Amino acid sequence: MHLLLAIGFVFFAACKEKPPSDAQKTEAVDSASARQQVSKATKDVAPSEPLVLFRWPDGAQRFALSMISSLSSTGGGELMKVMLQGNLDVLAVDENDKTSLLLTISAPTLTLQGSDDPSKLAALQDEISTPFQGVYKNGKLEKMRFVPGSSTFAVGIWRSVLSYLQIADSKEGASPFSTDEYDNNGRYRALYTQVKTADQWQKQKVQYAQSLQENDFTPLESGRTPVPVLISSAGEIVLNNGRLLRVVFDDRLKMALAGSGSLISSTEMELTAAQEAPDMSPVAASLPKKLMVLRADEPFTAELPLDAMDVQRMEGLTFDTLLEALIAKANDPNRQKLWDKKNDKDAPKGQNAAAQKWTADWSRYFSAIPAFFRQQPKTLKRAEKEIRNGSPAARSLIGGLSSTGTQAAQDILLKLALDESLDIKVRESAVRNLVQCRLPTEKTAQSVMKLADHEVLSRYALYGVGIYARKFRTAGNVDFSAELVGWLLEKLGAESDAGNRRDLLRALSNTADDAILQPMTRLLQSAEPGDRAGALEALRLLTVNQVDAVLAERMIEANEPSELVRITAVQTAARRDRENPVLAALIAAAQKDSGKKVKREARRVLFGWSNDLPELKQTLETIAAADEVENAAAR
């Protein structure tokens, strides 16, 4: 999420509406023109050798850092502004085929407009000088490492810096070129264009494809997180003799917030290389041995101070009127039709507007549910009673309990899940929402583990334990995360039923824990194709390099006799980096595999990748031509 949105409106209560600032002058980006340039970058360029724009040289480097991030209403009134100045000290270290950066913001000066609390300001200023790390592959951010217990504010600052240091390689070896990258908001398409010399590049964000979110289950009724909409984007990268001299970015975008309308966020950042080189040895020595690891595509789930937002979400409502509104929405005969039409661009204008209004109203009511649960805890009992009595609003109330982030709300979900007198659909909904809690507690995780052997609920419980393991590790509770992973591995070792083993393997895939690589590699020696396929699927979120080699090996028919396993290897590889050895194995499978389903799936993945790798278009044409010859011969 955007830097200021990620802060969770820490100082929102102190903010007052201000007149529009004359300082915020940005040109609206021509999205259609930018997308045309992306199309040209991905279609019209002849295949050539990849171009490496930049690699960090060994040793330390210092930059003068300036960052301004602001949040405004759509009417132009400024709600909050963060201004940061200081030195960004960077130490680059090779990490196999990747580059690891150790960074610290030294001598920071932090200003928060909209806050009048000097003690909080001093604490935040001290925290953001803590060291942090970023790992890059082919110039793109892959994962980040932070000190456990870091605040959302600090992680937002650090993540912004790391994302703006991305200088991606060109697989086409020419300008312009485009590629997918991640920042605080989500995945976006970046367009790189060379200017005058090889050492000067323009970089522009063209379009966001998705927000940072978790995809362990089908999204609940509350829907997907809205995708940010770019208003303008401009950046410049200046290099000289293999060193980074200057980075400048100015991005402005619109974020839709459930219950809060839309907000305009703006981030300006400038880095300028300094003459002196910092001494990074004290920084490296101060880094804890155990760090919180966050992938570039992973949301940060630290606790947010939500009191001020809750007040806004509850404005004009009582819990009684909220329940009435939720029940009316649930009983609306046009509900599903309006929900489905909310994003239908081909729907008639009036119908689309009605659907969007219906959805906006529902979103406002839904976002108010956890606000009432946090601010008026007595409403939790009322909600439980409504759910038990089969209220039409039960589904929304269960979702609200999941979003509340308190032990009391999680306890009610646990009671509902464990109550054998309730309808199994209610219990199932309770478990599904419980395992997606924003901030699970150890007590909640331990209770969910007790449902692992339930005839109907076990699958959701196991998946949830895997999700919890990842969330606890991300939040810095590494020991408890390891305990959950160990518990899943132990159950896998004792389980003989093929279906239950597959569920356990999918639960392990949710952990994204590199520690499961070795046991999954051993499981690939199993005589059961289901075990081998499940072991490959469990590797989908791992970051270690060995995973790509394992997947490539299992895509080749000579190495893997089972068509099911080869298809799973192809599908898992679709989520990996688009390069060898995975790429070569996919091409081989698409050309030579005797299984029609394997060929079809490999070709589907290659076709999806061909927008980023234009040379694949020729490969797919060659494959299609060979098929024509083979079919003609068969006739």
Side-chain angles (χ1 to χ4, degrees), residues 536 550-552 554-555 564-574 586:
L536 291 176
V550 171
L551 292 173
R554 292 291 164 166
M555 274 189 261
L564 167 67
V565 179
R566 298 199 305 277
I567 289 175
T568 302
V570 169
Q571 292 171 338
T572 305
L586 273 172

Side-chain angles (χ1 to χ4, degrees), residues 577-614:
D577 286 337
R578 305 171 184 189
E579 54 190 44
N580 291 327
V582 165
L583 182 57
L586 273 172
I587 293 173
Q591 290 174 326
K592 303 174 184 177
D593 201 285
S594 65
K596 291 183 179 179
K597 291 181 179 179
V598 180
K599 273 186 177 179
R600 184 166 58 246
E601 189 63 19
R603 293 174 185 187
R604 184 190 66 80
V605 174
L606 291 173
F607 181 79
W609 286 9
S610 63
N611 285 331
D612 290 339
L613 303 174

